[in-house]
Amino acid sequence: MKHSSLVAALAAAPLLAQASFNQQVGLVTGPTVMSEGVVLCDVDGDGDQDVVFANGYVLNSAGSAIQPTLLINKVNQGLGLVDETASRLPALAIKGTLVVAFDIEGDGDKDLLFSCNGPSQQRLYVNDGAGVFSDQSVARLGALNLACAGCAYGDVDQDGDLDVFLNDELTNGQLKLFRNNGSGVFSNVTATHVAAAPKTNQQDVVLCDLDNDWDLDVVNIGKSAGQQIYWNDGTGRFLTVTTALLPAGTGLTYEAEAADLDHDGDLDLAMLSVSSLTDTVIRNNLVPSGTLSFTSLTTALTGGNGDDDNEWLFVDFDNDGFLDLVDGSLQSSGEKLYRNNGAFSFARQATGFTAVVDSTLDAAVGDLNNDGVFDIVTAQGESGSFLNRAYYGSGPQDTQPPRFVRVEQLPAVSTRPDGPWVVRAVVQDSAVDDGETSVRTVVANWSIAHPGAS
Amino acid sequence: MTGSTPLRFCGGLFFRDAITPPPGVPTNGATVSFALVATDWRGNATTTPTQSFAVCGLQSYALGLGGTNTGALAATGTTSAGGTATFAWSALPTSSGGLLALALGRASVPFPEGIVVVDPGSLVTLVPVATDAAGAGALPIPIPASPPLVGLRVAFQGLFGGPLVLTNGVDLVVCP
């Protein structure tokens, strides 16, 4: 009896000690340099998620440039995340502030866009399909010596290719739009397509349809009062901007993220440091009121709110169907996990993350070890050891299907017998970060039937 | 017929694409139904309720038949009750007479002189028409403001003389 109790206690001990996200010491390799951005994406088409870090000592314009890091995922081969930067990325030091992965020219692979500060050249690395990248920045973006803390992509003009926004860290900076010509060559259309609306020290760009009119609007967040929303007119022009709807923010407002947090059919927001260091979640009131307005609910975040934080991402860690919040922090209290109860209340989980003192500037979510549970990678900079980290999730496997936030209702009659019949939907899955979600495919299965035909 | 169309990821949780029927598939007067299926990286999937819509208007068909079917017939306009659809023909003998055949259905009936693509068994009328010096012409056809006509299908084909040239077909389905 005594023996069996001991066995039971030993067996239970790891579970009791286990956090929802457990640090995997040594899993992240590569140089310990300042990283400000990280993205998980399958660069080599082998079905698992690789890791890209945007590196650079970018806290001021005199900072050093550093080559980005690319870790190839060989976890399931027992090799971990293997640093293959030297053979796969251009031997080029840059001042990376964020990295996003998307297919710029429609060839089916993920290319990399690095926003960079400085001012310095913004960087676009083109994938050869096997995960080897070439620097085609000037050829495809033009000579762009800008100071950017963030970037985002999206098909803003609904022409079938992905366009790019770059923000501006300088005093009275101007958000900039670059339109894709379909072949992955971008032209700066800011002067004609984006309202002139200066904002100092812009930090994050979020594309999302906030007003449910079936186009991508832009939330432009930064370390100055007046957080901007640029409204898309449906053709990719953003000539109307408002600062009246969102919290004014502070000199520490770094980040926002958008998703439908309460399953009511509109996109809500989470935003950092809207009052001193106090973070907030922002409920979109469009549904069911029919009137667009936002309610900032700082008190809905309980536990650790008031730390110096840098990053939001959303992940349904407990597989209950609601997106929970991960708050990447600079504080000694470490990364924070807030459980969403579905009714706009977010309670910090005491055992959310392995307690680690570091300086998180960005984080990314994905399933590194293919066990069906979401994992998280953090990018470290500003202070401390600059040791980037990986955390394996220990919760239940993801069995939640994607959620259709909205599907466009088509008219009952089409007067275009030859089509095309455009179908649009907003979809989120169990992980959301930087406008991406863990959806693999959305497919329209259709039938055409004639009256009387069998 | 059935098919699948993947929607492209447009950034910001937004997905979009267009269902386009394969060329040559008659869709005028049909009902199109679709449901969306979203699948995540784990294979978890969800399906939306089915949406349906009716298709009406003007649709060209029997294009590129060759032989004597080398004339072109096209139509524009509104086919709802009270509207006007304008039929225009071209690539035909110059300054010649002809007939615009109206029937209640499509067909494909080969004759030694060419392929008739309106249903001879449901012929409604033959409207005398002509071509100009460029071998073209047009005829506006008003749609009666009569609700019972909604859903009615009328197929059109031009037949022109000297030597005989036939056009492709255009069918019209009256819209609500």
Side-chain angles (χ1 to χ4, degrees):
Chain A
M1 186 69 184
K2 198 171 182 179
H3 175 73
S4 62
S5 296
L6 179 61
V7 170
L10 289 171
L15 291 174
L16 292 173
Q18 198 168 42
S20 297
F21 292 98
N22 296 281
Q23 186 186 191
Q24 303 300 302
V25 175
L27 182 59
V28 174
T29 57
T32 49
V33 296
M34 176 163 166
S35 301
E36 193 161 358
V38 58
V39 68
L40 303 187
C41 61
D42 182 9
V43 302
D44 52 359
D46 64 353
D48 54 32
Q49 291 181 298
D50 310 300
V51 185
V52 184
F53 290 103
N55 302 327
Y57 294 97
V58 294
L59 294 178
N60 58 63
S61 59
S64 303
I66 304 171
Q67 187 182 22
T69 304
L70 171 55
L71 307 181
I72 295 298
N73 189 333
K74 298 183 179 178
V75 170
N76 286 346
Q77 300 159 249
L79 300 173
L81 300 171
V82 180
D83 184 1
E84 297 191 5
T85 303
S87 59
R88 293 178 180 270
L89 291 185
L92 188 63
I94 68 173
K95 297 183 175 183
T97 53
L98 188 72
V99 55
V100 292
F102 64 103
D103 185 1
I104 63 163
E105 76 281 58
D107 65 351
D109 57 35
K110 295 285 183 124
D111 309 295
L112 301 173
L113 173 66
F114 295 87
S115 58
C116 301
N117 91 338
S120 64
Q121 174 68 42
Q122 307 306 298
R123 292 294 170 183
L124 190 54
Y125 289 179
V126 177
N127 192 335
D128 71 353
V132 178
F133 293 83
S134 58
D135 176 29
Q136 299 184 21
S137 306
V138 174
R140 292 179 179 272
L141 287 174
L144 274 184
N145 285 304
L146 303 173
C148 302
C151 55
Y153 68 88
D155 183 3
V156 299
D157 49 5
Q158 303 196 39
D159 66 349
D161 54 42
L162 297 169
D163 312 297
V164 166
F165 274 97
L166 288 165
N167 68 11
D168 190 337
E169 274 195 296
L170 300 180
T171 300
N172 292 321
Q174 170 65 45
L175 182 68
K176 297 174 178 65
L177 171 60
F178 297 80
R179 270 181 58 180
N180 190 335
N181 72 350
S183 300
V185 177
F186 296 83
S187 54
N188 186 344
V189 296
T190 304
T192 54
H193 287 62
V194 183
K199 178 174 174 58
T200 295
N201 215 338
Q202 300 169 24
Q203 291 293 307
D204 191 26
V205 192
V206 181
L207 271 59
C208 56
D209 181 10
L210 283 177
D211 54 357
N212 285 8
D213 66 349
W214 298 110
D215 55 35
L216 289 168
D217 309 305
V218 181
V219 178
N220 190 33
I221 295 296
K223 298 195 292 184
S224 56
Q227 308 307 320
Q228 299 174 322
I229 304 175
Y230 288 78
W231 300 110
N232 191 335
D233 69 357
T235 69
R237 291 171 190 266
F238 299 82
L239 303 179
T240 304
V241 59
T242 181
T243 57
L245 291 174
L246 296 179
T250 70
L252 295 164
T253 307
Y254 281 98
E255 162 90 359
E257 195 69 60
D260 185 1
L261 297 175
D262 53 359
H263 293 189
D264 66 350
D266 54 33
L267 296 181
D268 312 298
L269 294 164
M271 193 184 299
L272 292 176
S273 302
V274 293
S275 173
S276 184
L277 290 169
T278 301
D279 304 332
T280 195
V281 283
I282 302 172
R283 183 168 57 209
N284 187 336
N285 300 314
L286 181 59
V287 179
S289 72
T291 301
L292 182 68
S293 67
F294 297 93
T295 303
S296 176
L297 297 163
T298 55
T299 57
L301 287 165
T302 54
N305 193 2
D307 297 340
D308 187 359
D309 304 318
N310 271 299
E311 161 71 356
W312 283 119
L313 65 77
F314 302 152
V315 60
D316 180 10
F317 83 99
D318 54 358
N319 195 43
D320 68 349
F322 288 100
L323 287 167
D324 308 299
L325 277 53
V326 170
D327 196 342
S329 184
L330 279 168
Q331 297 283 92
S332 58
S333 55
E335 325 303 352
K336 293 175 286 187
L337 174 64
Y338 291 92
R339 182 180 179 275
N340 180 357
N341 74 348
F344 250 86
S345 179
F346 304 84
R348 185 178 180 187
Q349 304 300 289
T351 56
F353 279 82
T354 305
V356 172
V357 178
D358 59 10
S359 301
T360 301
L361 298 183
D362 194 20
V365 59
D367 185 2
L368 291 172
N369 55 352
N370 200 31
D371 64 352
V373 182
F374 287 104
D375 311 310
I376 287 173
V377 176
T378 65
Q380 301 297 321
E382 194 163 323
S383 60
S385 68
F386 298 162
L387 179 65
N388 298 322
R389 301 180 199 275
Y391 299 83
Y392 280 168
S394 64
Q397 289 187 323
D398 170 31
T399 61
Q400 293 289 336
R403 174 177 179 77
F404 284 93
V405 177
R406 292 188 304 128
V407 179
E408 186 173 23
Q409 180 68 46
L410 300 190
V413 175
S414 168
T415 58
R416 303 172 63 106
D418 294 316
W421 303 304
V422 173
V423 179
R424 298 184 283 199
V426 175
V427 189
Q428 68 186 28
D429 192 45
S430 302
V432 172
D433 185 35
D434 293 339
E436 290 234 32
T437 187
S438 48
V439 170
R440 181 188 293 270
T441 59
V442 179
V443 174
N445 291 326
W446 49 263
S447 64
I448 300 171
H450 286 270
S454 58
Chain B
M1 74 174 302
T2 60
S4 292
T5 301
L7 272 59
R8 286 172 299 102
F9 180 54
C10 298
L13 311 180
F14 197 93
F15 291 78
R16 178 191 188 276
D17 218 306
I19 300 172
T20 303
V25 171
T27 56
N28 210 5
T31 297
V32 177
S33 301
F34 71 91
L36 302 183
V37 181
T39 306
D40 69 13
W41 289 94
R42 288 276 297 158
N44 304 307
T46 190
T47 303
T48 64
T50 299
Q51 282 193 44
S52 295
F53 57 88
V55 179
C56 58
L58 297 157
Q59 185 171 38
S60 300
Y61 68 96
L63 298 162
L65 293 178
T68 58
N69 289 77
T70 55
L73 181 65
T76 57
T78 303
T79 70
S80 54
T84 299
T86 298
F87 287 76
W89 46 89
S90 60
L92 292 161
T94 58
S95 305
S96 68
L99 296 168
L100 193 59
L102 282 68
L104 297 180
R106 300 183 181 193
S108 181
V109 184
F111 288 94
E113 297 82 3
I115 300 173
V116 173
V117 298
V118 296
D119 176 19
S122 63
L123 191 67
V124 175
T125 189
L126 296 167
V127 180
V129 291
T131 63
D132 60 16
L139 178 68
I141 298 181
I143 311 297
S146 174
L149 294 180
V150 171
L152 177 70
R153 178 193 304 278
V154 181
F156 294 74
Q157 184 180 24
L159 304 86
F160 293 84
L164 182 66
V165 176
L166 286 72
T167 70
N168 60 280
V170 173
D171 78 0
L172 179 159
V173 172
V174 179
C175 290

